[in-house]
Amino acid sequence: MKRLLLLFLLIPICLYADWKIVDRRDWPVSGGKVVASELRVTNGAVEAEVSLIHFTATDIRLEVVANTDGQIGGLRELIETRGGLAGINGGYFQANLDPIGLLISNSRVVHKFQKAKILSGIFYVKSGRPFLARIPEFRGTEGIQEAIQCGPFLVDGGRPVSGLDDSRTAARTFIFSCGASFWGFGICRSVTLEEMGDILAHVTLIPERHISRALNFDGGSSSTFYARADDRTIFSEQRPVVSNYLLLKSKR
């Protein structure tokens, strides 16, 4: 009986230990204030490609850009014309580019808050500081400069969220925090939501950092990621025109 109990306790540890980094490359962005990383992660049966941008929150600005009229032709165009360092697609939207869920851009409410099971979290910026909140924690839009309501939550309290979909493989973008001061966002390809939650929670994607919270953004054909490292560009895009984007910019 004791041997069976010990085996049961070891199973989750073994599963988490299966994921490991088999290749990684890191590049400085904006003179090293920001770092871009590309990694390959595997558990022996499945391989994921992860591209990340990570930074100390006080060194940068995060800006939500609405594209409800479809005039922005894609993330690369947006960053190169507005001088950003990196970016990803934002939240869910209708076929006509109307946003789904709360969307705030430069203190303007583009779309109101919505209640839906999948819209379980909100990324927002208040007084220049980024936050990730579950819906019950959110205290309203007063004073908020930028916001994207999306979901599901992937990591909470440093652990993968239970009940994530384990059937559909796709590229997906996400935003994460490693405590209050260190943040990042990225794209993960070729795994399910459940596998992505495990990777973000249990693989050391950022040296000497542990992801405490992570929120899924719109995925599938809407997934797009762009980062201008000091000596190269990292770019991945499927559908170029989406309803909204999240940009990372230098502080002026």
Side-chain angles (χ1 to χ4, degrees), residues 3 29 47 76 115 123 161 199 202 216 247:
R3 290 182 62 187
V29 179
E47 184 171 287
R76 183 197 291 269
K115 289 185 178 180
F123 160 76
V161 173
I199 290 168
H202 296 293
N216 183 66
L247 295 191

Side-chain angles (χ1 to χ4, degrees), residues 5 8 11 65 70 97 105 118 120 138 163-164 167 187 197 201 212 216-217 220 225-226 231 246-247:
L5 179 60
F8 175 80
I11 286 174
V65 178
L97 298 182
S105 174
I118 195 169
S120 59
F138 190 61
L164 294 171
S167 61
I187 183 170
S212 55
N216 183 66
F217 276 174
F225 175 92
Y226 184 99
D231 62 353
L246 178 65
L247 295 191

Side-chain angles (χ1 to χ4, degrees), residues 172-207:
R172 297 179 176 90
T173 48
F174 55 92
I175 187 163
F176 64 88
S177 64
C178 303
S181 62
F182 199 87
W183 284 72
F185 56 74
I187 183 170
C188 185
R189 307 171 192 85
S190 306
V191 292
T192 66
L193 278 171
E194 181 182 64
E195 289 167 334
M196 191 161 77
D198 282 344
I199 290 168
L200 295 178
H202 296 293
V203 179
T204 306
L205 299 176
I206 304 165

